[in-house]
Amino acid sequence: MQTSSLKEEIWQIVAAIPAGSVATYGQISHLAGYPTYARYVGTTLKKLPHDTRLPWHRVVNSKGQLSFPAKSQPWHQQKSRLEAEGIVFIGNGFSLKKFQWQT
DNA sequence: CAAGGGGCTGTCA
DNA sequence: TTGACAGCCCCTT
């Protein structure tokens, strides 16, 4: 079935990420069928409303780290949420290979 | 109507 | 191994 917009596709994929796991922008964009939309994924999540229920904090870059500058407010927030789900951080990042969402 | 930016990625040296 | 550059598409001003 067809969605109203590409961003809705992204929302559904992000919402499908299980707790305790994380996914990369490229992975999400690839699952959506557009491997080159990785950048649009981040930009779209950025524009999400403050009351969104999407687990945007489970989305990280391909380096297994947060896209925000370390020590930044959103950086700590995302880190805290991931840790609450069982993600173990090491320095500025974590073991992406162990926590990355496996389909 | 037109131009620029954005929570990125992959390849080359 | 790490550092740097260009390209992808949609949304906002």
Side-chain angles (χ1 to χ4, degrees), chain A residues 35-85:
Chain A
T36 60
Y37 279 50
R39 203 162 175 186
Y40 181 58
V41 174
T43 307
T44 301
L45 295 176
K46 177 70 182 309
K47 294 177 207 169
L48 281 172
H50 296 178
D51 58 354
T52 182
R53 291 187 182 57
L54 291 177
W56 60 270
H57 53 271
R58 292 179 192 157
V59 184
V60 298
N61 58 23
S62 63
K63 292 176 286 196
Q65 301 179 219
L66 308 186
S67 305
F68 297 108
K71 303 191 312 173
S72 189
Q73 176 58 28
W75 185 87
H76 282 300
Q77 184 174 358
Q78 184 173 10
K79 177 174 177 290
S80 296
R81 293 190 179 191
L82 292 173
E83 289 180 326
E85 295 184 347

Side-chain angles (χ1 to χ4, degrees), chain A residues 9-32 55 58-61 64 82 87 94-103:
Chain A
E9 286 275 354
I10 295 170
W11 294 348
Q12 298 210 6
I13 293 170
V14 174
I17 301 172
S21 298
V22 297
T24 64
Y25 297 97
Q27 184 174 8
I28 293 168
S29 60
H30 188 276
L31 291 173
R58 292 179 192 157
V59 184
V60 298
N61 58 23
L82 292 173
I87 306 297
F94 54 88
S95 301
L96 179 62
K97 304 188 80 156
K98 302 181 79 150
F99 294 108
Q100 184 171 19
W101 184 26
Q102 299 173 3
T103 53

